[in-house]
Amino acid sequence: NQERLDADVRNELKEMRVSVEGIDDLGRLRIEIEGMVNRIVAAVDTFQSDERNRREEVFGRIETLAKRMESMEAEASELKSSLEAQRMEALRDALTELPNRAAYDEQIEREYSRWRRHGRPLSICVVDIDHFKSINDTMGHLRGDNVLKLVAREISRRVRSEDLVARYGGEEFIVIMPETDQQSALVAAEKVRAAVAECPFNFNNERIPVSASFGVATFQEGDAIETCFERADKALYRAKAQGRGCARFFEVGM
């Protein structure tokens, strides 16, 4: 548009120069000049009109694009929230509402990396409900589920907010305890063990004793996640062998 306007104005000025050179009559000269000026003004008006229309079209497109982007951003945000909700749901045990095995795997990897970088104490505790199969067989699976939920609640209540309690599978739970050395981990496990033993669980108006055994292990130099877990698992079985309902730390060499 700018180039066309420039060409039109130059052509009119060129014609004006030619016309003026050949005209001796001032009246006629005035008419010629007025016509040429009017044509130049018309060309400028056309240019401005085209520019105004072009700007309006561009602004309209920008406004439409802005609305589309706003809508897309809202959809993306909603999708992100939905995906995060689905992810969190996938990391949660439906029965106990605790984090599940997958959530534990994610968290222990993070804590293990932090332990390797900074060397701060890190312990894990494996928890297993004693004689759970007998509970299911004598009282039914519905009450067995209630025992699982009750124990899960007690464990969660007795540990710190920075600890992760997860349902590892079946009647087994696991606790990740950052910044916790072996003695502190064993003390914490003993508190949880006592709380579980005191849980009020009744069946046919009779109190049913529920207990759990605990195996505790602290990460040591050269440990992998699996080796520390294996020590905690061995400690758990030693606790069960000693009469169940015990908290035991697995010491090196035992």
Side-chain angles (χ1 to χ4, degrees):
N1 285 345
Q2 184 70 46
E3 290 173 357
R4 186 170 65 248
L5 174 64
D6 182 69
D8 289 345
V9 171
R10 287 179 183 275
N11 287 334
E12 290 294 337
L13 290 174
K14 183 178 180 181
E15 290 181 10
M16 182 185 296
R17 187 182 300 112
V18 173
S19 297
V20 168
E21 289 176 353
I23 297 176
D24 296 328
D25 186 347
L26 292 178
R28 184 182 170 191
L29 178 61
R30 177 183 176 185
I31 293 172
E32 287 290 335
I33 292 174
E34 286 181 349
M36 293 175 184
V37 169
N38 287 337
R39 288 193 293 274
I40 291 174
V41 170
V44 172
D45 287 345
T46 299
F47 168 79
Q48 290 179 339
S49 176
D50 290 344
E51 283 296 292
R52 185 165 51 251
N53 293 336
R54 187 181 63 83
R55 284 196 301 271
E56 289 176 356
E57 181 183 359
V58 170
F59 292 154
R61 289 184 179 182
I62 291 174
E63 185 176 1
T64 300
L65 287 173
K67 289 180 179 179
R68 287 179 61 187
M69 287 187 65
E70 184 178 353
S71 175
M72 290 171 66
E73 287 174 354
E75 290 177 3
S77 178
E78 183 179 348
L79 178 60
K80 183 179 178 181
S81 298
S82 175
L83 289 174
E84 181 62 19
Q86 291 178 34
R87 176 181 173 276
M88 294 304 295
E89 188 66 23
L91 295 175
R92 188 160 299 278
D93 177 62
L95 176 64
T96 63
E97 298 185 355
L98 289 177
N100 59 19
R101 170 72 178 274
Y104 161 77
D105 289 339
E106 281 192 10
Q107 186 66 16
I108 195 61
E109 287 287 350
R110 286 193 290 267
E111 295 296 343
Y112 179 70
S113 296
R114 190 176 295 116
W115 169 75
R116 292 190 63 183
R117 285 197 308 271
H118 305 296
R120 301 295 299 166
L122 174 63
S123 298
I124 57 175
C125 176
V126 182
V127 185
D128 188 84
I129 301 175
D130 296 328
H131 304 296
F132 186 71
K133 184 177 184 303
S134 176
I135 293 173
N136 272 337
D137 292 343
T138 57
M139 295 186 293
H141 289 278
L142 183 60
R143 288 183 176 83
D145 288 347
N146 288 337
V147 170
L148 283 171
K149 290 189 283 189
L150 189 66
V151 171
R153 185 193 68 188
E154 288 302 315
I155 298 173
S156 298
R157 284 180 175 179
R158 306 296 170 173
V159 299
R160 305 167 304 174
S161 59
E162 58 265 36
D163 298 334
L164 176 84
V165 182
R167 185 182 180 190
Y168 196 75
E171 66 271 25
E172 196 168 64
F173 302 89
I174 191 162
V175 187
I176 303 174
M177 296 181 281
E179 301 289 332
T180 307
D181 59 25
Q182 62 183 48
Q183 188 57 40
S184 299
L186 190 57
V187 169
E190 177 58 30
K191 289 181 180 178
V192 177
R193 185 204 63 76
V196 171
E198 295 171 3
C199 280
F201 188 78
N202 298 314
F203 177 60
N204 290 338
N205 296 322
E206 290 186 11
R207 186 179 184 281
I208 303 300
V210 175
S211 66
S213 298
F214 294 69
V216 179
T218 299
F219 279 84
Q220 301 166 359
E221 185 67 29
D223 263 343
I225 295 173
E226 294 78 10
T227 54
C228 187
F229 178 86
E230 184 179 0
R231 292 202 306 276
D233 205 37
K234 286 182 179 179
L236 171 68
Y237 281 97
R238 289 176 68 88
K240 286 186 175 293
Q242 291 181 354
R244 303 179 185 266
C246 300
R248 183 169 181 83
F249 176 76
F250 187 82
E251 299 175 4
V252 178
M254 293 186 64

